[in-house]
Amino acid sequence: MAKELFFIIVGSIFVNNFVLSRFLGQCPFLGVSSKTETAVGMGMATTFVLTMTAVAAYFLQNYILAPFGLEPFLQIVSFILVIASLVQLVEMVILKISPTLYNAFGIFLPLVTTNCIVMGVALLIPMNNYNLIKSIALGLGAGIGFTLALALMSGIREDLEFADVPEALRGPAIVFITAGLLSMIFMGFTGLVPLG
Amino acid sequence: MANSILTSMLSMGGLGLVLGGGLALASKKLAVKTDPRVDAIVEALPGANCGACGYPGCSGLAKSIVEGKAPINACPVGGTPVAEKIAKIMGVSDIDSEDDKKIVRVLCQGGKSEAKVKSEYHGVKTCKAASMVNNGPKSCSFACIGFGDCVKVCPVNAITMGDNGLPVIDGEKCTGCGLCVKECPKMVLALTSSKNEVHVRCRATMKGKDTRAVCSIGCIACKQCEKICPFDAIHVKNNVAVIDYEKCRNCMLCVEKCPTKSIKSLFVERKKAVIDEEKCIGCTLCAKNCPVNAITGEVKKVHVVNQDLCIGCGICQEKCRKGAIEMVRNE
Amino acid sequence: MQLFKDFINGIWNENPIFKMVIGICSALAVTTAANNGIAMGLALTFVLTCSSILISLLRNVIPAKVRIPCYIIVVATFTTVVDLFMKAYFPSLYEVLGIFIPLIVVNCTVLARAESFASKVGLARATADALGMGLGFTWAITLISMIRELLGAGTLFGYRVMWDGFTPWVSAILPPGAFIVMGILVGLINMINRKTAKDTHSH
Amino acid sequence: MLKTFIGGIHPPYNKELTNQKPIEKAILPKKVIIPMGMHIGAPCEPIVKVGDLVKKGQKIGEAKAFVSVPAHASISGKVVAVEPRPWPGGGLIMSVVIESDGKDELYEGIHPPKTLSHLTPDEIKNLIREAGITGLGGAGFPTQVKLSPPPEKGVDIIIVNAAECEPYITADHRLLLERPDDVVLGLEAIMKATGVKKSFIGIENNKLDAVDSIKKALQDKKDIEVVVLATKYPQGGEKQLIKAVTGREVPSGGLPMDVGVIVNNAGTCAAISNVLKTGLPLIERITTVTGSGIKEPKNLLIKIGTPLIDIIGQCGGFKGKPGKVLMGGPMMGLAQSQLEAPTIKGTSGLLVLEKADVKLYEPSPCIRCARCVDACPINLLPTNLAKFAEKNMWVEAESYHAMDCIECGCCSYVCPAHIPLTQHIRIAKSHIISSRKKK
Amino acid sequence: MNQYARMIIVLMIISIASGAVLALSYEVTNPTIQEQARQKLEQSVLTVIPGATKMEEVQKEDMMIYIGLDDQGNKKGISFKAIGSGFDGPIEIMVGYNPKEGKLLGIEILSMSETPGLGARIKEEAFTKQFKEKSAEDEFTAKEDVQVISGATISSTAVANAIRTSLDKIVKIYPVGGDF
Amino acid sequence: MDDYRLITTSSPHLHSGENISRIMFSVAIALLLPTFAGIYFFGFRALSLVVITSLAAMLTEAIFQKLRNKPIAISDGSALVTGMLLALNLPPGLPYWMAVVGAVVAISLGKQIYGGLGSNPFNPALIGRVFLMITFTTPMTTWINPVDGTTGATPLSLMKMQGLQTDYAKMLIGNIGGSLGETSALLIIIGGIYLIYKGYVDWRIPASFLGSVAVLSGFLGQDPIFHLLSGGLMLGAFFMATDMVTTPLSKLGKIIFGIGAGLFTVLIRVYGGYPEGVSFSILLMNAFTPLINRFTVPKIYGEVKAE
Ligand SMILES: Cc1cc2nc3c(=O)[nH]c(=O)nc-3n(C[C@H](O)[C@H](O)[C@H](O)COP(=O)(O)O)c2cc1C
Ligand SMILES: Cc1cc2nc3c(=O)[nH]c(=O)nc-3n(C[C@H](O)[C@H](O)[C@H](O)COP(=O)(O)O)c2cc1C
Ligand SMILES: Cc1cc2nc3c(=O)[nH]c(=O)nc-3n(C[C@H](O)[C@H](O)[C@H](O)COP(=O)(O)O)c2cc1C
Ligand SMILES: Cc1cc2nc3c(=O)[nH]c(=O)nc-3n(C[C@H](O)[C@H](O)[C@H](O)CO)c2cc1C
Ligand code: SF4
Ligand code: SF4
Ligand code: SF4
Ligand code: SF4
Ligand code: FES
């Protein structure tokens, strides 16, 4: 079990990084990776939401959708609705209890809701028949992988501020190409752990 | 079949109820006061929370805009319509009314062909950098260095470098923000009202002969301007002429007189008095007050302005009680 | 005229993929073959158009505070419909597009248009915009997938077009290929834009 | 192991041009220009008018502020102008111009004070101030201010800076060889004035003859120790010197006295001893005139205020076409363009480089080779600082400690991309200072 | 109306409507979806068991076994799924087998995520056809008993190993030469 | 003043005389050693591959600079180094056109799109190699044996696939299958030491890289010496992980870089799908470099005591 959890986490960070090889969460990856501080804040918020989502999706799936046979057609709607509402609630709560925490990471929460990585993780859980602990591991791994990709990209982008990048490539273009090179590098981890 | 539809409707209804209730409750209980402008901007933004702006979500951007950290057109998704709305919310574009507009003037005419150069400077090519090496490469330590730091800093591209290595201001574009004034290490730039048309374009406080030795167009403190000014508006202080804009009436006599051409204005802009024959009652007030005797006419008869003599000072216009005189720009 | 403008907007001026660069997850993930690109694009266009219509109709009914959940439900409903129908009638396509069909729900383009356009204008304009955006999305990802398929497999829409003995550039259909092709295309489009901007300027 | 610091560089020293040349007294100049601000701090105010007759040593500028020193006539003659004049910093500065009467007469008010053993610390400091003594090491900080640290700083060490790490310059070297007793006497006065019991004289090991000379002069004085240092630039930077000699590190943004140390240049000590012996204020100093563009390199004892062109003339004039004239050494010296400018109290050298020897480089992009990082004696990241400066990112530059840069030039010296790192950092510092002032 | 009540009600109505629409679409599409899945499974079973036209499912221990029958109802062979761990994730294989003769009838790769152009070539007939007629006693050693695809040893080995492992289980259920 | 105008610049007025092309050409000279080894073992093909990739790299660089209206700076030698290193990383039997593709990708995607020398986040030669690796995997993993010219396997894949161990002496001298330049560990070390002596390479990176590979592989029960001598490790540690543009500035950062690269190398070699992981590891650490730089800002003189 411990080994399996380890594989799930390492697998979703390196081998099948959610951003660089599964193509989830591209919008924030491009948008919020220009400064390391924001990138890490966003990464932490996403990791938090992903873990929460994993739990929510697990219960929703196994205690409501599956027992009532609603899974095939209510899965998408109910997942997204629950996630969106949960995140909004959490955001309000954080804003209320700690403005500092809110500024460090709460402000990123709304951005996370409509980010497909969240939905992706939620959908992968029933697809792989994960139990609760494995679901959490997946959420955590996906979040860390997302944070790693964002942090690496932000570091590179901060340095690129000083580089003489050709005019036409400035902005998203160079970020895409850099992401491509990063993704190429992450391919080195292929086959690192048997990811099921 | 009906059964499954019912279950589905019930469970979705339940979800909707619980979540709607939760959100309603939360928005009631957890409401936190924020800057109303933030909310207004959040309303105006697309709300996709896509992060394409580089800020943490729409509310993150809204906050940054209100704090002045992000431009009003930062949302790439919303485009111009959204930017316009935000502009309204933020109440920007409080640009001064047209007539009291401030613009920047270049107070140095020592360009490549006029000012002597004392050394061959190499290194970082900015005015700031050059000014820190032996006080700049020009012999006159007040002279514009000409690397164009001001050009780089102007947000509206109102400054260009002229051929002679001096900045040229586009008065139309300049918003009078004063950024360039702060940037110039030689304090060559100054903000003045756009109404002032005569400027001493030299700040060199060296003795006349020293100034002449380093620049062919610098103020040599000969005081000729002082003598000719009908309004006592220009004085040589500390070896350089200075205009008192309270008194200056843009008559431009000093400009004509200055032997080194260091006072400058645009002559085409000199205004001329024109008398409205309908209104003139021939009171002679204007003729009496004209400092250059450009107005003639007999009592109770329409007066005439000698356009060649008129210097455009506008005194007559001020004195005329009937509002019969207008100052007209000579196109 | 206005309708045409709204329609064209998404196709070029504010093309979701190349100009606004949102909703790109699926653009990158499913574009390994031209067929997939078209299918994904049409699926998205369907969801986008239906949701825009509905949201535009409901725009005065939905209270602001719950508008996001409401929009999400609408979008999710149409997405599920597409998902189910595709599963039933195009199983082989469904297999390839897989998880990315459900993810249309969170595709940033859909929500962004719902929020910033459909919820503010009437039915006709909302429809025109949605169609424009959808088709803009579709041609963009079809282009990407064509390039990737051509390089990576030597085929187009499954037909062999490269010469015999062509060595496929496998990386084009691997994840890095997606990013790099996308990056180069965005760069090229920037270049075209700047050229045209300059030309119109000089006239 | 020789004592030294981390970082630094080994430029070619080129000291053999002048290190065997005994100090020569310069010819009496026809005219001197005495700037009113030759020191850090408030400039002094002229107290003579055009037409006044003045004599050597007479005070002509009064210091009104605490961090300031008076100025004195270095020759006798007539005041011909009191006006802004070019000076080695570039631009103009208020100066008193004296035309020599050729007599070099001593001012009547000048007479030797009591001997050191009879002077109180306050009397010593007052003498130093009235004599217009500022540091001769370069920065020109009023010495008596430096010698009056607040008691809570607990200053317990004086270091005499005789490292003379700048290439070409040999003024301190000759001083130590020819007048070691003066340095020692000056140091003893400083120790008495500050009440410090322990002092060191730091000398680089490329001047071992000077070490011998000073050791002889010290005889058996136990409270003064000679420290032989590795020859490495900038060994003479006071922070580096303090680190090498005492192992202490001056805190970032702090002063030597924060670690209980006062550093004085060897020439400053000699100037103090001169006051004690003769009562004469600081009106002359030793200057090394050297370089490939000068006919006869020399160590000259010059009157302060002598125009640079006169000094060059006394050394045989230019050899070939002059390219650069530097006041000071090649690493930190200021490039001159107006040779009518005078020498000032901090002029330790006048270096003339022939045009052919002046190498100008076009900078290319940084290759992040980290040579600058390794060379920086402060352990800064010069490449980052320069990049921030180029992008006007002053806040970032400040957070990467731009203000700690001592402008030694090591980074620029080693950079294979020829980036003027030191200049960029200087600009950043100047922006940071002005933004601090605004706050 | 109270704004909060309105929030709740609108959200609820929309949810309920959505529930209705979705359930309806599901009811409409579900039979087809089920049918599609079954067809797909049958298709692959029939491919790996030559001559079979119908299939029957039986559960033996923890394995699903599909028996292939011809028009006359004769058992032509059995098939089962084998899962191997490939270069980049699992490989699912449908294996056709004749227990009586102890020989493989054929294989088909159901799903895999190997590299296109490399590992993905295990799907090609050139690779799969070699398993036809292989004996259940074969070692399935890569590069000896099984021809590997050059540049994709890992994928090829994974397929071979997966077949070997599941054959071991099958042989226990249906001993070679026995009936099925 | 007379007929001269003096030059003014900001201090310092001296320069060490060091310049970029001297550094790059020294690296190129050091690279000649492994290149000669490659030519000795693989003959004309090796020579032609090196020449072709170098020319292709320099030409691509020149074309890019021309297109961008920048001065053509191929004389700085960096493209030459990239080209040579790329060739040394290729299997000797690779079709020429693929090698050209690699060089073009290395310079264009790896370097010029970021603005050229000094701005690229990743090691260009390795970008070229990894690109070829995932694009044309089969030709990139087909190795020729030096002795008989037959195709064979590298010591690492022999080890990984068949558990066969290759003779140390052979590996040291270079009589083994592998890339052009990774065969002779000995010559690479000599070239590397020359660069360290010249001060162009900081010893910390090769030392920590090799050290961590040895320690970690030993820890995982593998033969450390075998791991040190095999594959591209030596070439990577001395010539590629040391590319100053793409590695951390500070000394501590360099050590972290080396250890990280070593760690990933062993991980990929022992547990990964590829037999060799040096290229990927160096590139991955290149990606980490900006973050490393950020968190290893050296403590400045007098920093602690300031409050
Ligand atoms: C603004 C300023 C204030 C200083 N204040 C003191 C002081 O109070 N006490 C002191 O011993 N030195 C003081 N110093 C002198 C410095 O310690 C140092 O000796 C001087 O700046 C010359 O150093 P440099 O030639 O290495 O630049 C001060 C220097 C500056 C620039
Ligand atoms: C890079 C650098 C190098 C220096 N080299 C010397 C030197 O060689 N000799 C010296 O006396 N002062 C040198 N200084 C000045 C000293 O830091 C310090 O200001 C001086 O020794 C203080 O003595 P003073 O006040 O008597 O001049 C150097 C300063 C810097 C920043
Ligand atoms: C981009 C890339 C993709 C790869 N994909 C596969 C694969 O799908 N299946 C596989 O067995 N090996 C794959 N490999 C692994 C190598 O080809 C490995 O060296 C090979 O499996 C073993 O060599 P051989 O088959 O030539 O003996 C891949 C390698 C690379 C670089
Ligand atoms: C010590 C050293 C190592 C280098 N290693 C590489 C290398 O591995 N790959 C490469 O493309 N260029 C290398 N270069 C050349 C150059 O730095 C490289 O092309 C830059 O990354 C281009 O910006 C190296 C240069 C030096 C001085
Ligand atoms: S006006 Fe000032 S900032 Fe502008 S070019 Fe002249 S010196 Fe530079
Ligand atoms: S910087 Fe501001 S003040 Fe100066 S020219 Fe531009 S708009 Fe005018
Ligand atoms: S000039 Fe400044 S940054 Fe450069 S080496 Fe000297 S102290 Fe360091
Ligand atoms: S020495 Fe020059 S090239 Fe090297 S890192 Fe420093 S600034 Fe960059
Ligand atoms: S589509 Fe925007 S994050 Fe995936």
Side-chain angles (χ1 to χ4, degrees), chain B residues 106-108 126-128 138 143-151 159 161 165-167 180 183-189:
Chain B
V106 184
L107 301 188
C108 172
T126 63
C127 305
K128 173 80 182 175
K138 281 194 177 152
C144 165
I145 292 176
F147 280 121
D149 287 10
C150 47
V151 176
I159 315 183
M161 274 331 265
L166 292 175
C180 54
E183 194 72 10
C184 177
K186 287 291 184 186
M187 293 176 284
V188 161
L189 303 172

Side-chain angles (χ1 to χ4, degrees), chain D residues 135-137 146 161 164-165 233-234 236-238 263-265 268 332 408:
Chain D
L136 299 190
K146 218 193 242 188
N161 188 348
E164 199 156 57
C165 59
Y233 178 83
E238 68 185 358
V263 180
N264 283 291
N265 171 252
T268 313
M332 296 195 69
C408 64

Side-chain angles (χ1 to χ4, degrees), chain A residues 1 5 8-9 12 18 50-59 61-62 121-122 124-143:
Chain A
M1 183 70 180
L5 290 182
I8 292 179
I9 294 184
S12 41
F18 272 73
L50 282 177
T51 318
M52 205 173 72
T53 303
V55 176
Y58 174 79
F59 282 109
Q61 171 69 21
N62 291 310
V121 167
L124 277 176
I125 286 168
M127 210 183 263
N128 288 330
N129 261 327
Y130 278 165
N131 65 20
L132 182 59
I133 307 213
K134 281 193 199 168
S135 307
I136 295 179
L138 182 74
L140 208 61

Side-chain angles (χ1 to χ4, degrees), chain A residues 23-29 114-117, chain B residues 50, chain C residues 21-26 100 103 106-109:
Chain A
F23 300 111
L24 292 172
Q26 295 302 322
C27 303
F29 176 59
T114 49
N115 166 347
C116 51
I117 194 169
Chain B
C50 61
Chain C
V21 202
I22 54 169
I24 38 204
C25 297
S26 35
F100 285 92
L103 288 183
V106 275
N107 186 297
C108 309
T109 321

Side-chain angles (χ1 to χ4, degrees), chain F residues 45-66:
Chain F
R45 253 206 95 77
L47 176 65
S48 47
L49 267 182
V50 176
V51 172
I52 285 174
T53 52
S54 306
L55 286 181
M58 291 192 285
L59 196 67
T60 314
E61 178 123 321
I63 290 173
F64 257 90
Q65 284 162 344
K66 181 93 198 155

Side-chain angles (χ1 to χ4, degrees), chain B residues 6-79:
Chain B
L6 204 66
T7 337
S8 147
M9 283 167 67
L10 274 180
S11 32
M12 279 304 289
L15 259 180
L17 182 69
V18 171
L19 296 173
L23 285 181
L25 196 72
S27 62
K28 202 165 179 178
K29 285 270 142 84
L30 297 175
V32 172
K33 257 193 231 128
T34 43
D35 189 327
R37 286 181 301 170
V38 174
D39 289 335
I41 295 178
V42 170
E43 280 299 307
L45 287 170
N49 282 322
C50 61
C53 52
Y55 293 87
C58 297
S59 57
L61 175 61
K63 213 162 150 243
S64 302
I65 292 179
V66 170
E67 286 165 4
K69 286 185 201 145
I72 51 169
N73 60 354
C75 175
V77 177

Side-chain angles (χ1 to χ4, degrees), chain F residues 262-284:
Chain F
L263 197 90
F264 286 121
T265 300
V266 176
L267 272 185
I268 293 176
R269 280 186 177 183
V270 178
Y271 298 113
Y274 296 96
E276 172 61 311
V278 172
S279 311
F280 290 110
S281 309
I282 295 175
L283 285 171
L284 189 68

